[in-house]
Amino acid sequence: MRAQQILIGELDALLRPFGLTFARYEALVLLSFSRTGALPLRRIGERLMVHPTSVTNTINRLEQAKLVIRRPNPADRRGTLAEITPAGRELVEAATAELMAAEFGMAGYDSARLDALFGLLWPLRVDAGDFAS
Amino acid sequence: MRAQQILIGELDALLRPFGLTFARYEALVLLSFSRTGALPLRRIGERLMVHPTSVTNTINRLEQAKLVIRRPNPADRRGTLAEITPAGRELVEAATAELMAAEFGMAGYDSARLDALFGLLWPLRVDAGDFAS
DNA sequence: CCAATTTCAGCACCACTGATATGG
DNA sequence: CCCATATCAGTGGTGCTGAAATTG
């Protein structure tokens, strides 16, 4: 808990100049790494493990900032796609460069320790259904 | 981040029947383990690494629930002490028993893995000034 | 006079509930 | 008819800024 509290503080501070919170940054990254640059809101919620209404809110803010646009989902007319814009890609790349320069708040951790942490936390996430979709 | 998201969800769900959030539970535990059962708000903020106004808010809620009471600090008349009440001690003990039964959301982790996790996260916390006071 | 402690008003953000509209 | 998707209104919790009152 305390470690996350420290990390989220640093990351949000690094992202503030970009007008992003960590939650919005995560959504942008997810879109930027998707095959087509667009995902149904449902999928975003699954991957980020957040409530549907939270996804709506996050995408609203990103849309207001013109970093994503909403499009009807051709495969399911109930649904909506969030698609990252060129401006969104530019911003997420700049933000990621900044975060990488700060080593995502984990400066001082070598690869072995990072791997060890990831491996230790993995089963917790699997049990909770992360990585499921 | 994802691991904390999972854990805070489980812990808050376990604490909801007691009318506690994890933040309020942490404050109660801190008071229950202090020598006199009372601490200046300033100290609570330091230990929990939260903003002074957040401490005021947390203590307000705990006071409304009659789990703590505010007292003037005899050693520094600018300050206020939060003191845990007998009802507060009762509740925090019951809540702790419940959390321990659920292994704090870490069921499936043996002592060695828990120690490894703690050891890996320790330097991050030290660098951020946790444990400082 | 400056600094520390606490509180207050106000704002942003995230998480959730319950209800609704639309479509599979 | 039931379920899924997304949105909206509203609430609670937390984190912060800026300002104020009180005291060291």
Side-chain angles (χ1 to χ4, degrees), chain B residues 8 19 21 41 50 55 57-59 61 65 70 74-75 77 79 83 86 95 104 108 114 123 126:
Chain B
I8 194 79
T21 63
L41 300 202
V50 299
V55 179
N57 184 282
T58 298
I59 298 301
R61 307 311 179 99
R70 275 187 169 82
R77 296 217 310 256
E83 179 174 13
F104 290 89
L114 292 175
V126 170

Side-chain angles (χ1 to χ4, degrees), chain A residues 55-69:
Chain A
V55 178
T56 295
N57 185 283
T58 298
I59 299 300
N60 281 348
R61 306 313 178 96
L62 292 174
E63 196 172 28
Q64 285 164 21
K66 304 199 182 304
L67 304 174
V68 310
I69 54 174

Side-chain angles (χ1 to χ4, degrees), chain B residues 8-31:
Chain B
I8 194 79
E10 294 182 14
L11 298 182
D12 272 341
L14 287 168
L15 290 171
R16 192 162 306 125
F18 297 93
L20 292 175
T21 63
F22 188 68
R24 293 175 201 169
Y25 172 76
E26 278 190 300
L28 269 189
V29 169
L30 183 60
L31 290 176

Side-chain angles (χ1 to χ4, degrees), chain B residues 65-78:
Chain B
K66 304 199 183 305
L67 304 173
V68 309
I69 54 172
R70 275 187 169 82
R71 293 201 301 115
N73 186 349
D76 182 342
R77 296 217 310 256
R78 291 171 302 185

Side-chain angles (χ1 to χ4, degrees), chain B residues 35-132:
Chain B
R35 283 199 331 275
T36 63
L39 287 174
L41 300 202
R42 171 88 171 82
R43 267 203 124 24
I44 297 174
E46 280 175 8
R47 293 297 196 83
L48 269 35
M49 297 189 62
V50 299
H51 199 272
T53 56
S54 297
V55 179
T56 295
N57 184 282
T58 298
I59 298 301
N60 281 348
R61 307 311 179 99
L62 291 174
E63 196 172 27
Q64 285 165 20
K66 304 199 183 305
L67 304 173
V68 309
I69 54 172
R70 275 187 169 82
R71 293 201 301 115
N73 186 349
D76 182 342
R77 296 217 310 256
R78 291 171 302 185
T80 302
L81 297 181
E83 179 174 13
I84 190 168
T85 65
R89 285 197 192 273
E90 249 181 72
L91 192 72
V92 76
E93 279 165 24
T96 298
E98 189 76 14
L99 292 185
M100 289 185 68
E103 299 185 37
F104 290 89
M106 301 294 291
Y109 280 78
D110 59 23
S111 308
R113 285 179 202 279
L114 292 175
D115 285 350
L117 258 177
F118 186 81
L120 279 165
L121 294 177
W122 174 279
L124 179 70
R125 299 175 61 188
V126 170
D127 273 11
D130 206 356
F131 308 108

Side-chain angles (χ1 to χ4, degrees), chain A residues 107-128:
Chain A
Y109 281 78
D110 58 23
S111 307
R113 287 179 202 278
L114 292 175
D115 285 349
L117 258 177
F118 186 81
L120 278 165
L121 295 176
W122 174 279
L124 179 70
R125 298 175 61 187
V126 170
D127 274 12

